[in-house]
Amino acid sequence: GQIPKSWEVYSVQELLDNGTLLTMKDGNHGAQYPRSSEFQRSGVPFLAASSISEEGAFEIDQLPCLSSERAKSLRIPCAIGGDVILTHNATVGRVTIIPQDVKEIIVSTSTTYYRVNGKSMSNEYLKCFLEGNPFQSQLQRVMGQTTRNQVPITAQRLLSIALPPTLDEQIHISQVISSLSRKLVTNA
């Protein structure tokens, strides 16, 4: 559909540059990537794309964990409560928000976390936009140019996000979309 004239369209990189997005990171690669022998039942949870349902749900108490010491040794810092997660490798396009009460969570290389500046962007709005057709279509176009289902973090920086001018409008839009989504799930 058409974007209202008062809205602006930015690339993810532009949102990072102007401070609307505070950071975006994917998981630790190479030697930093946790080995299966390092996982345990308690500690800092580890979130992989495969742990996130199509509806964006995940069970934090069912996730494998790394020790606090191992988590602190990682080059890429942990995601925190309120960060928006996008799956981008193999399972592409699932979106969730880390619950606000989660102090830290390690994301895998198959996920990217987006941290918003709450004064200029609502994390709920970002979640709704990333789940929506305009953004999902961009993901599909990028994947169409590769030999596997992935949208690397460098490609994500080039993707566009339409942004209403006020935080109040973003919050209102996300509340309406979330309400409709809940009704659809309830009636399914």
Side-chain angles (χ1 to χ4, degrees):
Q2 289 190 325
I3 296 170
K5 288 183 182 184
S6 63
W7 292 27
E8 294 288 337
V9 177
Y10 299 95
S11 71
V12 170
Q13 184 61 57
E14 289 172 324
L15 292 171
L16 286 163
D17 292 344
N18 71 23
T20 300
L21 286 175
L22 299 175
T23 191
M24 94 184 255
K25 303 275 185 193
D26 64 354
N28 290 273
H29 295 264
Q32 284 277 299
Y33 194 82
R35 305 292 173 240
S36 59
S37 61
E38 295 180 277
F39 289 109
Q40 52 192 41
R41 291 183 186 256
S42 63
V44 181
F46 181 85
L47 182 63
S50 59
S51 300
I52 302 170
S53 74
E54 287 184 32
E55 297 79 26
F58 67 93
E59 298 292 329
I60 196 157
D61 59 344
Q62 299 297 312
L63 297 177
C65 298
L66 291 174
S67 70
S68 295
E69 296 77 28
R70 179 65 168 109
K72 288 176 187 163
S73 75
L74 297 172
R75 185 180 61 80
I76 304 291
C78 292
I80 59 173
D83 286 350
V84 179
I85 305 293
L86 171 70
T87 64
H88 70 260
N89 192 4
T91 303
V92 176
R94 294 182 182 179
V95 183
T96 193
I97 296 179
I98 302 298
Q100 205 62 49
D101 63 340
V102 173
K103 183 179 172 189
E104 57 184 354
I105 190 166
I106 302 161
V107 299
S108 74
T109 56
S110 59
T111 61
T112 302
Y113 68 82
Y114 290 77
R115 187 167 300 149
V116 303
N117 177 340
K119 294 178 182 172
S120 54
M121 180 184 268
S122 158
N123 63 349
E124 291 285 347
Y125 173 79
L126 179 60
K127 176 184 181 287
C128 290
F129 188 84
L130 297 183
E131 290 173 325
N133 211 26
F135 192 81
Q136 292 289 318
S137 296
Q138 292 178 78
L139 294 175
Q140 294 300 317
R141 278 194 298 278
V142 171
M143 285 189 310
Q145 299 169 7
T146 65
T147 58
R148 48 191 276 207
N149 286 350
Q150 69 175 358
V151 182
I153 197 164
T154 53
Q156 290 176 54
R157 292 177 185 275
L158 304 175
L159 301 177
S160 297
I161 294 177
L163 190 62
T166 68
L167 196 56
D168 287 342
E169 188 173 0
Q170 294 172 37
I171 292 168
H172 177 72
I173 290 167
S174 64
Q175 288 172 340
V176 169
I177 292 171
S178 295
S179 174
L180 290 172
S181 295
R182 282 191 300 277
K183 286 180 184 177
L184 287 172
V185 169
T186 302
N187 294 330

